[in-house]
Amino acid sequence: MTTPFYTGGCQCGAVRFHVEGALGDASVCHCRMCQKASGNFYLPLVSVRQARLTWTRGEPKRFRSSNHGYRGFCGDCGTPLTYEAPDGVALTIAAFDDPAGIAPRIQWGIEAKLPYVDAISDLPGEETMADQDAASFLADLVSYQHPDHDTDAWPPEREP
Ligand SMILES: [Zn+2]
């Protein structure tokens, strides 16, 4: 049996990680602290308590959000990366290079769930290129986001 192996990191690539071993519980947390820490409606996290987490490039900056916990994030680009509690570390699911396979199994903090969250999946949906007003903007867009895989060719040479 091969050991599960995962890679991920922040948007700019200054912080990268490897996880060897089975991931723990995947969840979303609606609590107000997780809303603030992610700048989002809720925070998707997966425990790596039973696995081996290695920071392969850089290391998160940390904000002590309570007497029991820290929030790790990239000090260069701000991507939320960790929730660190006495019982272990959880990583933000979307920071993984392949988050599609890490499905949340439970919601926490539902007393703080924002009132419109459950209705989002019922909203009208369009693909990015359907926005004709943004088409010319998108046509020559160059992403400076780190690619979703480990690479030594980073950061790339950039036009000024
Ligand atoms: Zn970054």
Side-chain angles (χ1 to χ4, degrees):
M1 205 177 102
T2 57
T3 305
F5 180 73
Y6 305 88
T7 63
C10 68
Q11 187 176 25
C12 80
V15 181
R16 297 281 302 164
F17 62 79
H18 286 176
V19 177
E20 292 174 76
L23 299 176
D25 293 335
S27 63
V28 300
C29 184
H30 297 274
C31 88
R32 186 62 188 138
M33 276 199 183
C34 280
Q35 290 173 9
K36 273 286 189 184
S38 61
N40 217 314
F41 304 147
Y42 50 80
L43 180 58
L45 291 168
V46 63
S47 171
V48 295
R49 190 181 305 149
Q50 315 281 359
R52 192 153 76 91
L53 168 65
T54 307
W55 299 106
T56 57
R57 177 177 292 178
E59 174 121 357
K61 284 191 74 170
R62 290 177 173 85
F63 169 64
R64 190 175 190 188
S65 56
S66 77
N67 56 329
H68 293 314
Y70 291 82
R71 309 285 178 155
F73 57 94
C74 174
D76 288 347
C77 74
T79 302
L81 294 166
T82 71
Y83 171 61
E84 304 177 25
D87 63 347
V89 175
L91 295 175
T92 52
I93 293 175
F96 283 75
D97 290 334
D98 185 12
I102 309 171
R105 303 280 180 215
I106 189 168
Q107 307 176 75
W108 296 104
I110 59 170
E111 71 284 352
K113 185 190 284 188
L114 291 168
Y116 43 76
V117 164
D118 289 336
I120 289 174
S121 60
D122 297 329
L123 297 176
E126 299 283 0
E127 295 190 359
T128 305
M129 295 309 281
D131 182 357
Q132 289 301 315
D133 293 339
S136 64
F137 162 85
L138 292 168
D140 68 349
L141 184 142
V142 178
S143 172
Y144 295 150
Q145 177 164 296
H146 188 277
D148 279 325
H149 56 82
D150 284 335
T151 175
D152 292 328
W154 197 264
E157 300 288 325
R158 275 178 203 157
E159 305 285 325

